[in-house]
């Protein structure tokens, strides 16, 4: 039998229920809220000791005195969980402590078993702590993870919500030490200070507010924690009431929360993790999700149990028993035989299995079970089917995203150089962030040897972004390498590239017009692919032995933001002259500029994703914003300069850049 704590009431956090177990009567409850600072653990210990001492002194029927051993273990586990919450989440912490009585063969002989149930809640739900090892190298990690909880608690678990994470545990109140526990309580055996206990008059009234020691001083004030003691008369809750509470547990709210959490998740393993944890412990004791694989057996992607100490055993058994549902059960929740091993699944109960169907295709199977039931109510089965449809759609979206991201990464590897050539006497750094994070974009860069002691660097930006711009990028990079290695100078390379883009545009326009005539529809000129391109193209020739005398730089800008040179004294100057975009005018001559980049000087080249990044009506480079930033970068290495620019761009606006972001930094040693 696994005792089942009832949900708490009032303004404090609700105590986590252990589904499928015997119904519980709430005898008393206490709650406190603590700030997420180093004093929280000691305050939590005082709170727990005070609550247990007062409950023991009240000598509730069917509970008796709370033994010292139980009190010490509760205080120890509360301290560890609050320490974990402060260290890992760093948020305020809510601690709830309750005294429940469940049906069974209790110490009083009347079929009642008392238990202490504790819940510790923080407000950082993304931190996953189950089984997390203690990092002994990190002095800030003062807790022992959840190992102590697993060792001492009768049962325990973790509940994840949209804005919080709760770890709970349950300890039975044994009768072996009941006689001595009362004496210990009365003599202060486990009460640290008189201030920590409830006053007699408050005890009679049933509530204390502002009691206990303050966290930031000796006198009560705004930072004093709040304790409330609830002592209602013990009342039985029947199994029928429990089932009605279960079936009325906010189905619409649950589905809305599930849709919000699952929407936009692009990792199928994260989807399965969320799905299992949404069901447990709210509607099931345990759940599991299998994912269908192409040409192989289904993969057990996630297993979750209300009592986390059973997860490992449950996972091993489920891997041997993948569910096989008939084809007629598409999308319906069908009864499933309760497995026979109570050590992993819990006591007997009812289970459901449901195929996950999206777009007419099966993507996996959901299995869940709840102890203590002969059958799952129809209302819950319907709810599971609705939930399964949402999970299936989220899985299908995640898989589609993964496929597209994989194709994009493959294309991106082909569009960008696998590695940058090392120029003698020059330190280089690149930042490249296409729009969308993983999509191949229209910005590109390159550094390669051109022969005869020449090295070429390129930073370009195709008008537009995404796949259409990537098509042009795939044409331009090979052309540039070919023209440079044929010995053409900077101006000649740009002129020939401009003519090639014009020819490509004409061919694309002819093909697009022919397709439009055949289809009877109108198409944009060029088939919808822009052929305009801004480009910064330059040659470097190292000076002195191994480039120790700096480099001679010849470059030209075709419609591109002009590069900046940062001197060792922090002064910044612009090099090159603005010229027309490539691909706009068929016959145009491009001029170039030659200068020396002395040792310690840095050449900074960026795309308009940097200079034109917006924050409201302002752009990043308004008022020479980039030059002002670079004035503070004197003496920094190329990588440090590039990283400082990247951080400044992202910090400039709340919204991320809506254009591809690229920069190339060259520093003469």
């Amino acid at each position: 039998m696994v005792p089942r704590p009832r949900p708490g009431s009032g303004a404090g956090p609700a105590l986590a229920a252990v589904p499928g177990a015997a119904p519980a009567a709430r005898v008393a409850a206490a709650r406190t809220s603590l700030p997420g600072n180093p004093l929280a653990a000691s305050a939590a210990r005082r709170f727990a000791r005070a609550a247990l001492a007062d409950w023991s002194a009240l000598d509730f029927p069917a509970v008796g005195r709370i033994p010292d051993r139980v009190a010490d273990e509760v205080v120890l586990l509360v301290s560890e969980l609050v320490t974990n919450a402060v260290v890992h989440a760093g948020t305020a912490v809510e601690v709830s402590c309750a005294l429940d009585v469940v049906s069974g063969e209790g110490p009083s002989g009347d079929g009642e078993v008392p238990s202490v149930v504790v819940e510790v809640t923080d407000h950082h739900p993304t931190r996953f702590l189950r089984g997390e090892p203690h990092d002994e190298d990190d002095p800030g990690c003062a807790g022992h993870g959840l190992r102590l909880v697993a060792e001492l608690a009768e049962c325990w678990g973790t509940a994840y919500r949209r804005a919080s994470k709760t770890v709970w545990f349950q300890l039975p109140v044994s009768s072996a030490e009941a006689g001595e526990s009362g004496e210990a309580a009365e003599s202060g055996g486990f009460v640290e200070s008189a201030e920590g206990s409830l006053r007699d008059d408050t005890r009679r009234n049933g509530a204390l507010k502002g009691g206990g020691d303050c966290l930031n001083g000796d006198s009560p004030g705004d930072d004093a924690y709040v304790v409330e003691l609830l002592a209602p008369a013990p009342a039985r809750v029947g199994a029928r009431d429990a089932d009605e509470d279960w079936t009325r547990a906010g189905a619409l709210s649950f589905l809305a929360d599930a849709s919000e959490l699952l929407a936009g998740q692009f990792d199928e393993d994260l989807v399965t993790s969320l799905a299992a944890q949404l069901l447990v412990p709210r509607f099931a004791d345990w759940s599991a999700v299998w994912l269908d694989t192409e040409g192989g057996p289904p993969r057990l992607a996630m297993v979750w149990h209300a009592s986390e100490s059973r997860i490992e055993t449950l996972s091993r058994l489920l891997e041997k028993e993948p569910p096989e549902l008939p084809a007629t059960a598409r999308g319906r929740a069908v009864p499933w035989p309760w497995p026979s091993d109570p050590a992993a699944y819990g006591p007997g109960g009812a289970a459901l299995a449901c195929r996950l169907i999206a777009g007419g295709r099966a993507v996996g199977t959901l299995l869940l079970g709840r102890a203590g039931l002969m059958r799952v109510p129809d209302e819950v089965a319907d709810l599971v089917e609705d939930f399964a449809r949402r999970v299936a759609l989220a899985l299908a979206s995640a898989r589609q995203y993964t496929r597209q991201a994989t194709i994009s990464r493959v294309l991106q590897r082909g569009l960008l150089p696998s590695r940058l050539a090392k120029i003698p006497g020059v330190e280089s750094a690149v930042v490249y962030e296409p729009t969308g994070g993983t999509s191949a974009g229209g910005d590109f860069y390159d550094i390669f040897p051109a022969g005869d002691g020449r090295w070429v660097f390129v930073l370009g930006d195709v008008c537009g972004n995404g796949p259409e711009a990537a098509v042009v990028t795939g044409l331009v990079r090979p052309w540039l390498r070919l023209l440079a290695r044929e010995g053409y100078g900077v101006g000649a390379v740009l002129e020939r590239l401009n003519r090639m883009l014009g020819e490509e545009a004409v061919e694309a326009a002819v093909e697009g017009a022919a397709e439009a005539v055949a289809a009877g529809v109108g198409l944009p000129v060029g088939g919808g692919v822009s052929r305009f391109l801004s480009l910064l193209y330059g040659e470097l020739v190292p000076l002195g032995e191994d480039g120790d005398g700096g480099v001679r730089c010849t470059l030209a800008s075709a419609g591109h933001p002009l590069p900046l040179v940062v001197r060792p004294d922090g002064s910044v100057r612009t090099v090159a002259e603005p010229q027309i975009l490539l691909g706009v005018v068929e016959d145009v001559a491009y001029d170039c500029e030659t200068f020396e980049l002395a040792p310690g000087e840095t050449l900074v080249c960026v795309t308009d994703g940097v200079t034109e990044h917006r924050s409201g009506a302002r752009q990043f480079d308004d008022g020479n914003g980039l030059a002002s930033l670079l004035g503070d970068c004197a003496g920094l290495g190329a990588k440090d300069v590039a990283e400082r620019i990247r951080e400044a761009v992202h910090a400039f606006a709340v919204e991320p850049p809506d254009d591809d972001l690229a920069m190339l930094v060259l520093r003469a040693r």
Side-chain angles (χ1 to χ4, degrees):
M1 184 202 72
V2 179
R4 179 186 181 186
R6 292 175 56 199
S9 61
L15 288 169
V18 181
R26 175 59 42 84
V27 175
R31 295 180 291 274
T32 185
S33 180
L34 306 171
N37 61 32
L39 299 177
S42 61
R45 290 193 295 270
R46 293 194 298 273
F47 159 75
R49 286 190 183 278
L52 295 175
D54 282 278
W55 294 345
S56 185
L58 289 173
D59 199 5
F60 291 112
V63 177
R65 305 295 187 182
I66 300 176
D68 287 348
R69 174 189 57 79
V70 175
D72 290 341
E73 289 179 353
V74 168
V75 170
L76 174 62
L77 297 186
V78 166
S79 179
E80 286 301 315
L81 292 182
V82 170
T83 298
N84 272 339
V86 171
V87 170
H88 295 291
T91 67
V93 181
E94 281 75 42
V95 182
S96 299
C97 189
L99 194 58
D100 283 2
V101 176
V102 298
S103 59
E105 296 181 0
S108 62
D110 59 357
E112 296 176 327
V113 178
S115 292
V116 176
V117 184
V118 175
E119 183 180 79
V120 176
T121 301
D122 64 61
H123 300 281
H124 195 300
T126 59
R127 182 71 179 182
F128 191 70
L129 293 177
R130 178 173 64 84
E132 181 176 283
H134 171 50
D135 186 358
E136 297 182 356
D137 295 330
D138 183 1
C141 293
H144 298 281
L146 297 177
R147 289 195 292 268
L148 280 175
V149 180
E151 289 293 330
L152 298 179
E154 180 182 58
C155 60
W156 66 282
T158 308
Y160 292 86
R161 303 178 181 90
R162 277 187 296 177
S164 65
K165 181 186 88 280
T166 298
V167 182
W168 60 268
F169 67 85
Q170 180 170 295
L171 284 173
V173 178
S174 172
S175 63
E177 304 171 75
E180 62 182 3
S181 64
E183 298 173 359
E186 293 172 357
S187 63
F190 56 80
V191 179
E192 290 186 358
S193 64
E195 292 84 2
S197 63
L198 304 181
R199 299 190 304 273
D200 291 338
D201 57 341
T202 308
R203 189 179 297 150
R204 287 192 296 270
N205 294 333
L208 171 70
K209 298 194 177 206
D213 294 335
C214 297
L215 295 179
N216 297 317
D218 296 327
S219 60
D222 293 338
D223 295 320
Y225 61 89
V226 177
V227 180
E228 293 181 356
L229 176 62
L230 310 176
R236 288 275 175 218
V237 178
R240 180 178 178 181
D241 293 336
D243 288 341
E244 290 178 356
D245 288 342
W246 180 30
T247 57
R248 293 198 305 263
L252 293 178
S253 175
F254 169 74
L255 292 174
D257 288 347
S259 299
E260 182 177 345
L261 284 170
L262 295 172
Q265 301 296 342
F266 299 136
D267 185 302
E268 64 179 18
D269 288 328
L270 179 57
V271 171
T272 60
S273 177
L274 288 171
Q277 294 177 47
L278 282 167
L279 290 172
V280 177
R282 190 168 185 178
F283 292 102
D285 288 321
W286 54 267
S287 65
V289 181
W290 279 265
L291 293 180
D292 292 354
T293 59
E294 296 183 3
R299 174 173 69 90
L300 182 59
M302 184 62 187
V303 176
W304 197 248
H305 200 294
S307 180
E308 298 193 25
S309 58
R310 293 181 174 180
I311 291 178
E312 185 175 351
T313 304
L314 179 59
S315 298
R316 289 198 301 267
L317 293 176
L318 287 176
E319 285 180 338
K320 303 175 184 178
E321 306 172 0
E324 295 182 4
L325 273 67
T328 56
R330 294 179 61 85
R332 291 191 300 108
V334 298
W336 193 256
W338 185 267
S340 59
D341 191 340
Y345 296 90
L352 287 177
C354 185
R355 287 291 276 164
L356 302 174
I357 307 293
R361 298 185 59 183
V363 294
T365 303
L366 173 67
L367 184 64
L368 60 93
R370 180 179 173 89
L373 296 180
M374 294 298 294
R375 61 180 292 274
V376 178
D378 293 339
E379 297 89 341
V380 177
D382 293 340
L383 179 66
V384 169
E385 291 176 2
D386 287 341
F387 176 72
R389 283 192 286 271
R390 287 162 170 79
V391 174
L393 289 172
L395 285 171
S397 297
R399 289 187 170 184
Q400 180 66 23
Y401 175 83
T402 300
R403 284 192 291 268
Q404 292 177 345
T406 301
I407 294 172
S408 179
R409 282 193 294 269
V410 172
L411 289 174
Q412 188 171 314
R413 285 197 295 267
L415 295 174
L416 299 175
S418 57
R419 64 183 182 86
L420 295 179
K422 294 184 178 180
I423 305 172
V426 176
E427 177 188 357
S428 62
V430 168
V431 171
Y432 178 73
E433 295 180 356
T435 305
T438 59
S439 302
D443 286 11
F444 64 94
Y445 60 88
D446 204 354
I447 299 178
F448 59 90
D452 300 327
R454 298 177 301 127
W455 303 79
V456 170
F457 67 91
V458 176
L459 185 63
D461 182 4
V462 179
C463 292
N465 49 40
E468 294 83 3
V471 171
V472 180
T473 301
L475 294 173
V476 170
R477 274 193 61 244
W479 286 348
L480 288 173
R481 287 197 170 215
L482 177 63
L483 292 171
R485 287 168 177 168
E486 288 292 322
Y488 291 102
V490 172
V493 167
L494 294 183
E495 292 165 8
R496 283 163 173 76
L497 179 61
N498 183 60
R499 284 200 295 270
M500 291 178 178
L501 288 173
E503 293 169 359
E504 284 289 324
V506 171
E507 292 178 4
V510 171
E511 293 174 359
E515 293 174 359
V517 171
V521 297
L523 290 177
V525 176
V529 178
S530 172
R531 304 290 166 171
F532 302 149
L533 169 69
S534 73
L535 185 69
L536 191 63
Y537 180 90
E539 281 187 1
L540 297 177
V541 177
L543 303 176
E545 186 175 351
D546 296 328
D548 56 4
V551 292
R552 183 171 65 251
C553 178
T554 303
L555 60 79
S557 172
H560 203 82
L562 298 180
L564 301 173
V565 173
V566 185
R567 298 188 179 95
D569 61 2
S571 60
V572 179
R573 65 186 178 94
T574 302
V575 291
E577 295 292 333
Q579 299 179 82
I580 193 170
L581 286 168
L582 295 168
V584 176
V585 180
E586 183 174 352
D587 293 322
V588 62
Y590 287 91
D591 298 326
C592 56
E593 178 179 332
T594 300
F595 60 94
E596 289 189 6
L597 196 65
E601 291 187 336
T602 302
L603 179 65
V604 178
C605 312
V606 301
T607 62
D608 58 10
V610 174
T611 57
E612 297 179 6
H613 179 43
R614 285 189 171 276
S615 175
R618 296 171 53 240
Q619 293 186 349
F620 181 77
D621 198 36
D622 284 351
N624 295 319
L626 179 58
S628 299
L629 173 66
L630 293 176
D632 298 328
C633 296
L636 296 181
K639 292 182 179 179
D640 292 334
V641 172
E643 181 62 20
R644 183 166 294 189
I645 299 172
R646 189 194 70 81
E647 291 177 352
V649 171
H650 283 283
F652 180 71
V654 176
E655 297 296 327
D658 58 0
D659 193 6
D660 299 333
L661 184 73
M663 64 187 77
L664 177 62
V665 180
L666 304 170
R667 182 177 185 271
R669 293 193 178 96

